[in-house]
Amino acid sequence: MRKFLFKSILVLAALTFAWGCGSSSDEPDPVVPPEPNDTTETPTPTPVSPWVSVVTSPVWYIDWNYTDERPDWKDPDFRKYENWMVVMVKMPDPLITYISPDDMMAIFINGELRGLSSVATVMNKEGDGASEQSTYFIVKVYSNSTSDKTEVFGVQYYSSQLHHLFAVQDNNHFVPHGDLGVDQDYVPPLLQGSSKYPVFTRLMVKFVIDETVEEPLVPMPMDYIGAFVGDQCRGYTYLGNSLFNGYVTIPVYSKEVGEPITLRYFSASKHAVQVFQISGTTKQGNLMTTITI
């Protein structure tokens, strides 16, 4: 009964927004080895610097500011469509800081705008026995799709503060009078659809600990590694609190294919940074490398 009431409240909220609101730690991807048919193994790189002590922990972040103009999106004419569904989009953590009332979240089907919302809703949802506060956009989507003729939709999000458009085509199907993201969070990969960084590289890094040195590195949960193009951070991840298995995956956002990648590893135990130049470059897909620390 509680689940039914929660679901009903969300649907009613979406219905309320539908006619008046038209005018998306990013947790790192799970450590899963890339598919063999889309993997490039790069030679083990040589460190380009020894451990360099730092006074304070370095702060690495991706600059998402851009120059996209605000789209001229208008609410769809609901009278043209027989069916509707509610899509509840959970915002990825890196974008939550920049949400403003002038943002827009839109759903497209076959290149046509079928749903629009500019109201970000902060709410608590229970999952795995705990309540988590997250930010969502609730969008009512229209279509003439039926159970016999299904349609897939894409998601586009414009950040007014960042002047940045994010657009991804998803494989989710329109379900007449159904919903998505109510029972289970729906987080479309908006960051992989960045207009500023259209190339997304999933970089898997394998660590080899050098046991021949006097003080071998002891990986710690607060250690983190950043991927850089020149001096610009393009992705980072923490080793995390789970048992370290020798691998981490870094999402790398790039402007074009072929950009050189430099890795910077921060060790909390040494309170120092070491830099590695890998031979692999940015690409659309998966990339692997091994570093000896």
Side-chain angles (χ1 to χ4, degrees), residues 229-245:
V229 173
D231 290 329
Q232 297 180 355
C233 178
R234 297 292 183 82
Y236 58 91
T237 189
Y238 286 86
L239 266 60
N241 294 317
S242 60
L243 183 63
F244 180 62
N245 63 359

Side-chain angles (χ1 to χ4, degrees), residues 13-14 16-24 70-71 73-76 87 89 91 98-107 113 115-122 135-140 156-161:
T16 302
F17 294 154
W19 289 280
C21 57
S23 301
S24 159
R70 181 180 175 84
W73 292 337
K74 305 296 182 184
D75 284 305
V87 177
V89 179
M91 293 299 294
Y98 307 104
I99 290 177
S100 75
D102 294 326
D103 293 354
M104 294 187 292
M105 181 71 69
I107 304 293
L113 192 151
L116 184 62
S117 173
S118 61
V119 179
T121 303
V122 179
T135 304
Y136 302 83
F137 280 86
I138 302 176
V139 189
K140 188 173 184 182
Q156 296 192 27
Y157 168 69
Y158 180 74
S159 170
S160 180
Q161 185 173 337

